[in-house]
Amino acid sequence: EAACVPVPDADGLERLALFVTASSDAAAALREAQEACERLLPRHKRPKWVRAVDELPRTATGKVQRFKLREILTRELSAKD
């Protein structure tokens, strides 16, 4: 599974972040997702960040909670600063 969300970048613009589920080998899942994006998408539509998660956060009705994915990456990026 995968989900893509916009995340504010340092320049104030929003960039895409792709989250993929990885059951066993996260590195392989990330590499496969990045290769697919490079092969299928023009450069301006490719996600800036690609991250692996155990599972996508969902509501009780099964919808992906994109705001939680955005929070995960925002926390990670602010910790690097």
Side-chain angles (χ1 to χ4, degrees), residues 11 17-18 21 32 45 53 58 78 80:
D11 60 7
L18 176 64
T21 57
E32 185 178 325
K45 290 188 178 183
V53 291
R58 296 188 179 275
S78 63
K80 287 183 180 181

Side-chain angles (χ1 to χ4, degrees), residues 3-80:
C4 203
V5 296
V7 178
D9 199 2
D11 60 7
L13 299 174
E14 289 188 330
R15 308 280 188 232
L16 291 178
L18 176 64
F19 291 86
V20 295
T21 57
S23 57
S24 59
D25 189 3
L30 290 173
R31 188 172 43 257
E32 185 178 325
Q34 287 175 325
E35 289 172 359
C37 288
E38 289 174 5
R39 193 174 59 251
L40 300 171
L41 297 173
R43 183 178 298 270
H44 68 280
K45 290 188 178 183
R46 293 179 195 160
K48 181 173 181 177
W49 303 281
V50 180
R51 299 293 189 267
V53 291
D54 294 331
E55 62 183 35
L56 297 174
R58 296 188 179 275
T59 65
T61 59
K63 294 178 78 173
V64 175
Q65 292 180 314
R66 295 180 187 278
F67 74 94
K68 286 191 177 183
L69 294 173
R70 193 175 301 114
E71 289 172 358
I72 290 169
L73 187 62
T74 302
R75 276 195 307 266
E76 181 184 317
L77 294 174
S78 63
K80 287 183 180 181

